[in-house]
Structures are given as structure tokens and as C-alpha cells.
Amino acid sequence: MSAKLLTAHSNVFKCLLTVAGFHPRAFSTGTAAFGSVKLKGRSCLTLKDFGPDEIKKMLWVSADVKHRIKQNNENLPLLQGKSIAMIFEKRSTRTRMSTETGFALLGGHPCFLTSQDIHLGVNESSTDTARVLSGLCDIVLARVYSHSTLEDLAKEASIPIINGLSDMYHPIQILADFLTLQEHYGSLNGLTVSWIGDGNNVLHSFMMTAAKLGVHLKISTPKGYEPEKSVIQEAQRLSEKYGTQLVLTTDPMEAAHESNVLVTDTWVSMGQEEEKKKRLKDFEGYQITMQTGSVARPDWTFLHCLPRKSEEVDDQVFYSSRSLVFPEAENRKWTIMGLMVSLLTDYSPKMPMMKF
């Protein structure tokens, strides 16, 4: 099937990196460029709001915190005396565990709040909740159904608000994904990521981030399941600005062709259970298998934000050496820690800057 190709300079693209094997993480010494990046005090509702150097700084801080704690066994109480309110309208494994354990590991106090605890927007308006929490804690992470809830919180709060997932975006997942890919390939610039599945919040966050890191993006969704039109328009603008390739197609094999990374997600998200039968039928042919990978680059890898269902990716791929899903899941912890440190402190990494 035909693809829609969006480029920076008509048919001229930047050359894709040819990666012949698996490489350790690479570093560079050009740290001066990040000296002017200021993240402290800001909210993170979508990576659309952050430029390339700001996203790279988040990843750099995350890698540094991971190295100092996991490799060097350092005690790093960067958030001692601080507290976080964790608001969860939707259940979670990775988001809750990574945030709660990560904030505590950095010396802070996490407070977990479900919809049964605070009734966000029901017993108390989002506006009032934002003002109250601004006086009781230092930062809020909210995992919500509607992105507008986050916007209401951020508008009234005097402390940073982090999007732990909304119907539009999942920025903290994408930070984990790109840290995982940077660690695996040694660099992000020039990689091709292929999304095969639903046009959902995780894909939206990829689309707001990939071009800023020099990553080409191919997207395959069934007809009727495309990403939001406004997100496509912004992704097109970003690909033109940063000189990367953006492909939209309905053919999974076309998307997978010559790709470094194959990515998918659940086809039936929370709140869509009644649509399950129809969705499974509409997504027939979209399961990622070794056959899908046969047209990808020789070094191709696989990502999935979890939890995974077998119809989305078969066991042969999911449990193979090409699958990075479990390092990806662990990096949810290190990247949320890096993001919280970045939004709450003026911390400067001690390790050399990574080669992006």
C-alpha cells in the first residue's frame, strides 16, 4: 500500500546510520551546549513543549543517576526533604513502582493517591486540588484519563506537574524508550523507529520527540486508527525542521522495511474493553513476528511499553535477544528519577555527556 512521506527538503533525507552490531553506550565531551538548559520548576505534560537539548539533558541526567546509583552504589539523596503527590485515576504497575521507589531512593517521600482518595474533579475541582497540593508537596505526577485534567492542574499549580499518562500523551514512557535505545545502539541520531499498531498516546509522544533526536519515524496503523490529525501536522513540521523522515502507511511490512526498531503497544487500552472484539478484527495482520523483522535492518530490536498481549507480538520476538522490553521497563525508573531531579533541582551530571 502507498505511504505518505513527509520530508525536510523534498526527496533529500539525511542518511540513516548503518549499525552492523550491538554497541556499548558512547559518550562525548561537548557539555557546554547544555549549560543554558534550564528545566527546574517546569511541568512536563508533553515532550512537544521541550526542545532537543532539553530532552537530551533529561536523558543525560537519567543516565547519570542510573550510573551513580546502580553501577557505583552511591547514596544520592538529591530530593531529601521533598515530597511528591502521585495521583492515579488509572491503575499502573511500571508508572507507580518507578515513581514511588525512585522518589524514595532519592531521599524524598512519595504519597500515592487514587480516585477513591481524592475524587479529582468530583468532590473538589482540579483548580482547588492544584492549589492545595502546591502548598503540601513539591511536585505532582498524575496518571489520568483526560489530558485536559493535567492542563487544569498545571494552570493553577505553583509546582511542577508531570504527565504519568493521559489519553493524548505518555512522555515518561518515551524518555525510557530513548534511553534504552541510546544504551543499546550507542547513539540515537539516524536510527529508524517503526511503530506498528494503534495511533495512541504512546505513538503521539514518539511523534513529538523522534525528530528532535534525529530519529526517523515510520508509522503503520489500520485505517481508522491513525494518530490525531493535529499531532500528525506537528510531527510533519518537526520532521521538516530537523531533517528527518516521517512515513504514514497502513502496511506493517512497509513500515518495518529497513527499520532499526520495531515498536507496538496494546490494541485495547483501558476504557476500550467494549471495543475489544472489533479492534482485534481490525488489527489482524499487525502482530509483530520474526517475519515482520525479516525486512528490517540486521540489527533490529523490539520495544513494547507493557503490559503485552500475544496478539500484538508473538513469543518468539517478545522473549528473543532482540527484545529490549525488560531493560525498557527498568529504565522507566531511571528516567522518571532523572526527570524529577531535573524539574526540582539544578543538578549537573557527573558523567560525560552521552553521544546522541
Side-chain angles (χ1 to χ4, degrees):
M1 298 182 183
S2 63
K4 182 179 181 181
L5 190 60
L6 307 173
T7 69
H9 306 291
S10 65
N11 295 323
V12 180
F13 306 126
K14 293 194 308 180
C15 293
L16 301 178
L17 283 179
T18 301
V19 186
F22 298 158
H23 302 287
R25 183 167 60 225
F27 302 96
S28 67
T29 57
T31 59
F34 291 87
S36 60
V37 173
K38 302 297 181 185
L39 298 171
K40 184 179 179 182
R42 295 176 61 179
S43 290
C44 181
L45 306 189
T46 166
L47 293 170
K48 176 182 177 180
D49 298 333
F50 294 88
D53 286 349
E54 293 171 331
I55 296 171
K56 291 174 184 178
K57 178 70 176 293
M58 294 174 189
L59 294 173
W60 183 21
V61 172
S62 301
D64 180 82
V65 169
K66 179 178 183 179
H67 180 77
R68 294 186 66 184
I69 294 176
K70 185 175 182 179
Q71 303 301 324
N72 293 355
N73 294 313
E74 293 184 52
N75 179 33
L76 213 60
L78 298 174
L79 301 182
Q80 186 170 356
K82 298 186 183 298
S83 60
I84 181 171
M86 301 164 50
I87 300 173
F88 280 65
E89 291 184 336
K90 304 178 75 171
R91 64 184 181 270
S92 165
T93 299
R94 281 148 295 277
T95 301
R96 178 179 178 180
M97 284 298 296
S98 61
T99 306
E100 192 166 333
T101 61
F103 205 85
L105 189 57
L106 292 166
H109 180 75
C111 301
F112 180 69
L113 303 168
T114 69
S115 56
Q116 284 72 41
D117 297 312
I118 63 172
H119 299 283
L120 183 65
V122 180
N123 285 352
E124 185 172 48
S125 68
S126 299
T127 295
D128 290 354
T129 298
R131 292 178 179 179
V132 169
L133 291 179
S134 293
L136 297 177
C137 61
D138 300 279
I139 191 169
V140 173
L141 178 138
R143 184 178 177 90
V144 298
Y145 284 99
S146 174
H147 193 75
S148 62
T149 301
L150 291 166
E151 294 173 333
D152 290 342
L153 289 172
K155 182 178 178 181
E156 296 296 333
S158 58
I159 58 176
I161 306 295
I162 295 176
N163 180 359
L165 176 143
S166 71
D167 57 346
M168 275 296 291
Y169 296 109
H170 198 356
I172 57 176
Q173 178 63 53
I174 296 318
L175 291 174
D177 289 359
F178 279 123
L179 179 62
T180 304
L181 294 178
Q182 197 283 331
E183 289 176 335
H184 183 81
Y185 288 103
S187 179
L188 296 173
N189 185 56
L191 290 178
T192 297
V193 171
S194 294
W195 177 275
I196 299 172
D198 193 13
N200 64 10
N201 50 3
V202 179
L203 173 58
H204 288 169
S205 288
F206 264 116
M207 295 170 73
M208 294 299 97
T209 312
K212 298 173 185 177
L213 298 174
V215 174
H216 307 282
L217 188 58
K218 296 182 178 181
I219 299 166
S220 176
T221 59
K223 187 175 181 180
Y225 294 90
E226 298 87 354
E228 291 283 341
K229 186 174 182 179
S230 61
V231 177
I232 294 175
Q233 292 171 342
E234 177 63 11
Q236 177 180 4
R237 187 189 70 81
L238 291 172
S239 71
E240 292 171 349
K241 180 176 181 178
Y242 296 107
T244 59
Q245 183 182 11
L246 178 65
V247 174
L248 302 173
T249 181
T250 56
D251 185 347
M253 298 301 285
E254 183 177 5
H257 184 69
E258 290 295 296
S259 176
N260 300 101
V261 188
L262 305 181
V263 193
T264 193
D265 188 12
T266 181
W267 297 344
V268 186
S269 297
M270 282 181 277
Q272 298 175 333
E273 288 80 6
E274 293 184 2
E275 306 172 31
K276 182 175 180 179
K277 187 175 180 180
K278 181 180 186 302
R279 280 178 165 265
L280 291 181
K281 181 179 179 180
D282 292 345
F283 280 86
E284 287 180 2
Y286 277 75
Q287 183 191 48
I288 294 180
T289 65
M290 286 296 179
Q291 182 180 358
T292 317
S294 68
V295 299
R297 293 289 182 95
D299 65 339
W300 70 271
T301 55
F302 173 75
L303 293 178
H304 192 301
C305 66
L306 305 180
R308 159 258 185 178
K309 304 294 188 302
S310 58
E311 61 263 19
E312 300 148 8
V313 54
D314 67 9
D315 285 354
Q316 190 177 7
V317 171
F318 187 77
Y319 293 109
S320 73
S321 60
R322 295 183 180 278
S323 176
L324 302 179
V325 295
F326 296 111
E328 175 189 13
E330 180 189 337
N331 277 335
R332 286 292 307 278
K333 179 171 183 172
W334 302 113
T335 48
I336 191 61
M337 290 169 69
L339 179 61
M340 294 185 299
V341 166
S342 297
L343 300 183
L344 286 174
T345 76
D346 291 314
Y347 179 75
S348 295
K350 307 304 178 187
M351 68 185 294
M353 184 180 70
M354 298 181 294
K355 180 182 178 182
F356 292 103

